[in-house]
Short mmCIF file of all heavy atoms in Angstrom, two decimals:
data_model
loop_
_atom_site.label_atom_id
_atom_site.label_comp_id
_atom_site.label_asym_id
_atom_site.label_seq_id
_atom_site.Cartn_x
_atom_site.Cartn_y
_atom_site.Cartn_z
N VAL X 696 32.05 -16.27 -8.24
CA VAL X 696 32.38 -17.61 -7.72
C VAL X 696 33.90 -17.85 -7.77
O VAL X 696 34.48 -18.40 -6.84
CB VAL X 696 31.62 -18.68 -8.51
CG1 VAL X 696 32.14 -20.08 -8.18
CG2 VAL X 696 30.12 -18.59 -8.24
N ALA X 697 34.53 -17.40 -8.85
CA ALA X 697 35.98 -17.61 -8.99
C ALA X 697 36.74 -16.87 -7.90
O ALA X 697 37.68 -17.42 -7.32
CB ALA X 697 36.43 -17.16 -10.37
N HIS X 700 34.86 -17.87 -4.01
CA HIS X 700 34.75 -19.29 -3.64
C HIS X 700 35.74 -20.18 -4.40
O HIS X 700 35.53 -21.39 -4.49
CB HIS X 700 33.31 -19.77 -3.89
CG HIS X 700 32.28 -19.06 -3.06
ND1 HIS X 700 32.10 -19.31 -1.72
CD2 HIS X 700 31.39 -18.07 -3.39
CE1 HIS X 700 31.13 -18.53 -1.26
NE2 HIS X 700 30.69 -17.77 -2.24
N ASP X 701 36.76 -19.55 -4.95
CA ASP X 701 37.81 -20.29 -5.66
C ASP X 701 37.26 -21.21 -6.73
O ASP X 701 37.75 -22.32 -6.95
CB ASP X 701 38.65 -21.09 -4.66
CG ASP X 701 39.38 -20.19 -3.67
OD1 ASP X 701 39.76 -19.06 -4.06
OD2 ASP X 701 39.55 -20.60 -2.50
N GLY X 702 36.20 -20.76 -7.38
CA GLY X 702 35.65 -21.48 -8.52
C GLY X 702 34.58 -22.50 -8.22
O GLY X 702 33.99 -23.08 -9.14
N THR X 703 34.28 -22.77 -6.94
CA THR X 703 33.26 -23.75 -6.59
C THR X 703 31.96 -23.02 -6.24
O THR X 703 31.89 -22.33 -5.21
CB THR X 703 33.70 -24.61 -5.39
OG1 THR X 703 34.93 -25.26 -5.71
CG2 THR X 703 32.64 -25.63 -5.05
N ASP X 704 30.95 -23.17 -7.09
CA ASP X 704 29.68 -22.48 -6.87
C ASP X 704 28.97 -23.09 -5.67
O ASP X 704 28.74 -24.30 -5.62
CB ASP X 704 28.80 -22.62 -8.13
CG ASP X 704 27.66 -21.61 -8.14
OD1 ASP X 704 27.05 -21.39 -7.08
OD2 ASP X 704 27.40 -21.04 -9.21
N PRO X 705 28.60 -22.28 -4.67
CA PRO X 705 27.93 -22.81 -3.48
C PRO X 705 26.58 -23.46 -3.78
O PRO X 705 26.17 -24.38 -3.08
CB PRO X 705 27.74 -21.57 -2.59
CG PRO X 705 28.73 -20.57 -3.10
CD PRO X 705 28.84 -20.84 -4.57
N ASP X 706 25.91 -22.97 -4.81
CA ASP X 706 24.58 -23.52 -5.13
C ASP X 706 24.24 -23.14 -6.56
O ASP X 706 23.82 -22.02 -6.84
CB ASP X 706 23.53 -22.98 -4.16
CG ASP X 706 22.17 -23.66 -4.33
OD1 ASP X 706 21.98 -24.38 -5.33
OD2 ASP X 706 21.30 -23.46 -3.46
#
Side-chain angles (χ1 to χ4, degrees):
V696 169
H700 298 284
D701 297 327
T703 302
D704 197 318
D706 187 348

